[in-house]
Amino acid sequence: MIATLNKSKTALTINRQEFKLALEKISAGIDKQIASLKKAKQGYDAKEMAQETINELNIFEAIIEGFNEAEGTNLKLADITNLEKAQEWIDDFLEKYSKD
């Protein structure tokens, strides 16, 4: 599970391993797009593609929404206990595409 809900159902903790696996799947999709663009000899900005993908996914909002629906909770972004750390994981992910 990508996050763990605490016993009182008032906070979530993003699970590092599962979150990193999800980012790896996102990365594979971006890499596939880049390969197609290269093959077609079209220009691309890898950093921009990665940033747009992350922005469109709204990862944290999707996690919160999923738990709210499944658990009948009313959690908000502020209820993610390790949000800053998870944001660092996303920043590390985006850094990979800044080097192209």
Side-chain angles (χ1 to χ4, degrees):
M1 181 153 285
I2 203 161
T4 303
L5 184 62
N6 70 359
K7 289 181 182 181
S8 62
K9 296 187 176 186
T10 58
L12 285 175
T13 300
I14 304 293
N15 297 328
R16 182 181 189 274
Q17 185 175 2
E18 294 294 324
F19 193 75
K20 293 268 189 163
L21 285 173
L23 289 176
E24 285 176 20
K25 289 180 182 182
I26 294 166
S27 181
I30 293 169
D31 291 344
K32 196 173 188 178
Q33 284 182 314
I34 289 171
S36 293
L37 291 170
K38 282 183 180 178
K39 186 176 180 181
K41 297 183 181 181
Q42 293 181 2
Y44 65 91
D45 181 334
K47 180 179 179 181
E48 184 177 319
M49 288 173 65
Q51 186 65 58
E52 284 181 16
T53 301
I54 291 296
N55 289 345
E56 288 175 13
L57 290 174
N58 294 318
I59 293 171
F60 301 122
E61 289 89 351
I63 292 169
I64 291 288
E65 186 177 307
F67 273 91
N68 283 342
E69 287 180 20
E71 299 291 336
T73 56
N74 191 24
L75 299 168
K76 296 172 183 51
L77 282 179
D79 297 323
I80 297 177
T81 60
N82 59 341
L83 185 60
E84 283 185 27
K85 192 63 177 170
Q87 185 60 54
E88 287 177 24
W89 301 331
I90 287 179
D91 293 343
D92 291 344
F93 167 82
L94 293 173
E95 182 66 27
K96 169 185 170 183
Y97 291 98
S98 296
K99 296 175 183 173
D100 266 0

